[in-house]
């Protein structure tokens, strides 16, 4: 089924964020807010609005959750034109002088809370009603709220826990102190328990872009592992692994292309389309678009730098360039197939018939093929650079296998850990790890395969932090422990009367 993308105007919801003004969105048509959720179809529109907001948060040009999760890792450099091209992103990448007013961080923070605000409204209104789809609607909204809070607490630590929206538009109503990460995790677990109980199996979802029971089980397993609760996580991850509706795509070269969109490996995926015909007169790079502008942003830079003849790739703007470290890691592992689907060295570019002229900013010897610009992923209508339809895979079954391998290893069940790890390796064309590989050595193998499998997917840095490995892997790039968390946006502290500068994360 082709992806379905809806862009809806969400009615009457207060946008709970740290924006400069408190705003309301006017009612659609003549619907009254008090009766809107009496209709199942209206409730469906509001639920689809959650996906629209998640799409917006991951694709709003420079203010993207996708971008800021990848940048602090060791597989990617910020890239772009030079050291001042999108300076706020260069700062994140280099761990240097990250401002409390960094607009990319502020934009993501705001959009996470806007998504939470809509989820809160759906939960409140639907719980008070008697719709036949009540259980499902609450379950889907609670999954989305859990997703956003997991992203917030992973990147910012202790954050305000907003479970109800303000009933008046005022600074006093908006005031909310920070809750501890433990409290945030507890709420995420509670929301996901409801989601698991109320969401359908992947084989029965209403639309292919919507989350399922398996997505909620997988996310809860991940949340538990992030807390060190590996034994508790195993049943949730195992439930996903044992469900035949989930699996690995057979061809690793197609995992991140349109060919496999919303496929069996997808647990949560942001969809995009190629049919809008955007051109330079109607594009909305800084606003809302239904195509994926990040594919253009991450394409190998033009401007005379990269000749991509023979590669099947198109030029872009050169952000998110691979590091020498990830290129070497693939070569050291003898990982030919997965490497080809992820990165391309300069030697490989030359072998295709392409070439490099000059040295682009942040270049360390390669370009990306994962989420790269390709003519096959866009359309002839409008400007190709503005109409990429490649989906962003936010959560994949492959990650579930790696999480399960980690959990089994931590619980001393190395035979089971090897089984799950080998599934990933075999799909990549690699042999099983040795049956004698155990304990810390097996954990190191899991860490390395995760580095290769999830490169450029926004997971690496946050894993290094929770594993206590960030300093060893990143200190040479300027990392210090303060970089474990992003600074809480200054605008949030200014608008939220329950916060003071003392609530800022350490070091900022």
């Amino acid at each position: 089924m082709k992806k379905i993308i809806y862009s809806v105007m969400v009615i009457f919801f207060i946008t709970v964020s740290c924006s400069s003004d408190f705003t309301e969105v006017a009612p659609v048509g003549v619907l009254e807010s008090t009766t809107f959720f009496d209709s199942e179809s209206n409730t469906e529109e509001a639920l689809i609005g959650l996906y629209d907001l998640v799409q917006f948060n991951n694709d709003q040009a420079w203010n993207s959750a996708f971008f800021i999760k990848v940048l602090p890792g060791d597989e990617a450099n910020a890239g772009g034109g030079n050291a001042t091209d999108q300076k706020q992103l260069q700062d994140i990448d280099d761990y240097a002088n990250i401002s409390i007013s960094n607009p990319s961080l502020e934009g993501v923070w705001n959009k996470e809370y806007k998504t939470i605000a809509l989820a809160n409204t759906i939960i409140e209104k639907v719980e008070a009603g008697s719709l036949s789809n009540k259980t499902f609607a609450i379950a889907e909204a609670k999954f989305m709220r859990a997703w956003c809070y997991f992203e917030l607490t992973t990147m910012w630590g202790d954050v305000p826990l907003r479970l109800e929206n303000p009933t008046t538009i005022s600074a006093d109503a908006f005031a909310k102190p920070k809750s501890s990460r433990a409290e945030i995790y507890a709420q995420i677990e509670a929301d996901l328990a409801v989601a698991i109980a109320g969401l359908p199996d992947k084989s029965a979802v209403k639309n292919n872009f919507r989350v399922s029971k398996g997505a909620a089980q997988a996310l809860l397993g991940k949340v538990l592992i992030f807390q060190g609760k590996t034994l508790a996580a195993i049943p949730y991850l195992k439930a996903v692994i044992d469900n035949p509706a989930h699996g690995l795509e057979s061809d690793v070269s197609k995992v991140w292309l349109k060919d496999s969109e919303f496929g069996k490996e997808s647990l949560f995926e942001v969809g995009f389309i190629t049919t809008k015909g955007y051109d330079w007169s109607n594009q909305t790079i800084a606003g809302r678009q239904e195509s994926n502008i990040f594919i253009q942003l991450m394409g190998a830079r033009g401007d005379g730098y990269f000749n991509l003849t023979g590669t099947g790739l198109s030029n872009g703007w050169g952000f998110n360039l691979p590091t020498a470290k990830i290129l070497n890691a693939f070569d050291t592992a003898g990982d030919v197939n997965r490497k080809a689907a992820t990165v391309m060295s300069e030697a490989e570019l030359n072998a295709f018939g392409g070439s490099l002229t000059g040295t682009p900013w942040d270049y360390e010897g390669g370009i990306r093929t994962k989420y790269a610009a390709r003519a096959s992923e866009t359309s002839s209508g409008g400007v190709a650079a503005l109409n990429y339809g490649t989906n962003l895979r936010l959560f994949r079954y492959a990650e579930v296998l790696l999480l399960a391998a980690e959990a089994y290893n931590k619980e001393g069940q190395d035979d089971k850990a090897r089984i799950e790890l080998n599934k990933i390796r075999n799909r990549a064309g690699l042999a099983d790890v040795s049956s004698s590989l155990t304990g810390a050595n097996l954990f190191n193998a899991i860490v390395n395969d995760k580095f290769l499998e999830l490169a450029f997917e926004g997971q690496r840095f946050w894993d290094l932090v929770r594993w206590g490995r960030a300093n060893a892997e990143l200190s040479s790039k300027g990392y210090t422990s303060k970089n474990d968390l992003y600074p809480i946006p200054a605008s949030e502290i200014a608008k939220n009367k329950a916060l003071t500068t003392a609530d800022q994360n350490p070091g900022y």
Side-chain angles (χ1 to χ4, degrees):
M1 178 179 178
K2 181 60 184 170
K3 70 187 78 169
I4 303 173
I5 300 296
Y6 296 85
S7 183
V8 299
M9 186 197 302
V10 180
I11 63 161
F12 72 78
F13 303 120
I14 298 172
T15 57
V16 180
S17 71
C18 59
S19 57
S20 58
D21 297 295
F22 296 98
T23 60
E24 280 188 300
V25 178
V28 175
V30 296
L31 293 174
E32 297 289 339
S33 64
T34 56
T35 61
F36 182 83
F37 285 98
D38 292 344
S39 162
E40 290 187 17
S41 62
N42 287 348
T43 300
E44 274 286 287
E45 280 194 37
L47 290 169
I48 299 303
L50 291 169
Y51 292 89
D52 192 53
L53 287 170
V54 172
Q55 182 201 59
F56 186 36
N57 199 10
N58 282 277
D59 190 54
Q60 192 193 11
W62 319 113
N63 303 339
S64 159
F66 171 82
F67 220 164
I68 70 167
K69 287 189 294 184
V70 171
L71 280 179
D74 52 0
E75 74 268 47
N77 291 328
N82 52 51
T84 61
D85 193 354
Q86 299 302 320
K87 181 66 163 53
Q88 77 278 13
L89 299 176
Q90 307 289 339
D91 289 346
I92 293 171
D93 179 48
D94 297 332
Y95 316 107
N97 304 315
I98 300 176
S99 169
I100 59 175
S101 299
N102 184 296
S104 294
L105 300 180
E106 181 182 38
V108 172
W109 172 284
N110 288 348
K111 292 192 289 291
E112 298 284 8
Y113 274 108
K114 287 178 180 179
T115 309
I116 289 167
L118 175 54
N120 286 344
T121 298
I122 294 171
I123 293 164
E124 175 193 352
K125 299 295 185 181
V126 174
E127 280 183 339
S130 56
L131 295 176
S132 62
N133 64 344
K134 177 177 181 176
T135 298
F136 165 77
I138 293 171
E140 193 165 37
K142 288 195 171 185
F143 175 94
M144 292 297 195
R145 186 167 71 180
W147 177 270
C148 293
Y149 273 122
F150 185 46
E151 294 215 308
L152 283 165
T153 198
T154 298
M155 292 187 278
W156 280 279
D158 300 347
V159 298
L161 181 60
R162 300 183 181 278
L163 302 179
E164 302 88 19
N165 296 339
T167 56
T168 60
I169 303 175
S170 69
D172 287 337
F174 181 75
K176 192 77 171 178
K178 292 198 300 185
S179 292
S180 70
R181 179 175 272 177
E183 292 172 308
I184 302 296
Y185 277 139
Q187 184 60 51
I188 292 169
E189 290 181 37
D191 279 352
L192 290 175
V194 174
I196 290 168
L199 289 173
D201 187 77
K202 183 176 176 65
S203 62
V205 293
K206 296 180 181 181
N207 309 102
N208 58 3
F209 62 85
R210 298 177 86 159
V211 293
S212 67
K213 180 189 297 289
Q217 291 168 324
L219 183 56
L220 182 51
K222 182 174 179 176
V223 168
L224 291 168
I225 286 177
F226 266 59
Q227 298 174 76
K229 301 177 180 178
T230 48
L231 183 61
I234 288 172
Y236 295 104
L237 300 172
K238 187 176 185 299
V240 179
I241 293 168
D242 290 345
N243 185 339
H246 307 284
L248 293 173
E249 297 291 341
S250 59
D251 186 347
V252 72
S253 71
K254 296 183 178 180
V255 172
W256 301 278
L257 301 179
K258 288 197 295 183
D259 288 353
S260 64
E261 63 187 18
F262 301 118
K264 61 183 178 180
E265 192 164 338
S266 175
L267 292 167
F268 191 24
E269 184 170 331
V270 176
F272 298 94
I273 55 177
T274 63
T275 56
K276 287 294 186 177
Y278 295 121
D279 58 37
W280 296 114
S281 67
N282 67 11
Q283 59 82 21
T284 52
I285 289 175
R288 305 295 291 269
Q289 61 273 324
E290 300 297 346
S291 59
N292 188 350
I293 192 61
F294 267 97
I295 301 304
Q296 176 65 14
L297 265 62
M298 297 187 297
R301 193 168 182 87
D303 298 339
Y305 282 114
F306 287 99
N307 171 5
L308 300 175
T309 298
T311 64
L313 305 179
S314 302
N315 288 114
W317 298 337
F319 285 87
N320 256 0
L321 279 170
T323 60
K325 185 174 184 177
I326 188 67
L327 290 161
N328 293 335
F330 277 110
D331 290 339
T332 300
D335 194 342
V336 176
N337 296 337
R338 189 165 46 180
K339 178 186 178 185
T342 309
V343 291
M344 181 186 298
S345 70
E346 187 174 332
E348 290 161 340
L349 172 64
N350 292 335
F352 275 112
S355 60
L356 172 66
T357 302
T359 304
W361 170 249
D362 264 351
Y363 178 71
E364 294 187 8
I367 57 176
R368 280 179 317 90
T369 53
K370 180 187 288 189
Y371 293 135
R374 303 171 187 270
S376 59
E377 297 282 300
T378 185
S379 70
S380 57
V383 175
L386 302 176
N387 289 281
Y388 285 104
T390 310
N391 291 359
L392 295 177
R393 280 69 168 174
L394 301 184
F395 199 15
R396 295 192 289 122
Y397 179 77
E399 186 177 351
V400 173
L401 297 178
L402 290 162
L403 289 166
E406 178 182 346
Y408 283 129
N409 172 253
K410 292 298 184 183
E411 295 301 325
Q413 302 179 52
D414 286 341
D415 54 339
K416 294 180 179 178
R418 287 191 296 270
I419 288 171
E420 305 310 335
L421 176 59
N422 285 335
K423 292 175 184 176
I424 294 288
R425 292 178 58 82
N426 294 165
R427 196 266 296 274
L430 299 176
D432 289 353
V433 295
S434 171
S435 60
S436 64
L437 198 62
T438 61
N441 290 331
L442 178 55
F443 180 69
N444 288 336
I446 294 167
V447 168
N448 190 60
D449 251 287
K450 194 169 190 182
F451 185 34
L452 303 176
E453 178 67 31
L454 297 183
F456 312 110
E457 295 185 49
Q459 189 55 49
R460 171 69 171 179
F461 177 76
W462 316 103
D463 279 339
L464 291 176
V465 169
R466 70 182 178 86
W467 290 331
R469 296 187 172 203
N471 189 62
E473 297 289 346
L474 302 171
S475 60
S476 63
K477 294 183 62 178
Y479 161 89
T480 66
S481 60
K482 89 168 194 177
N483 301 119
D484 289 353
L485 298 173
Y486 286 137
I488 293 180
S491 54
E492 174 72 18
I493 294 175
K495 291 293 182 181
N496 186 342
K497 292 174 61 177
L499 299 181
T500 71
T501 54
D503 292 301
Q504 183 57 269
N505 284 328
Y508 295 104

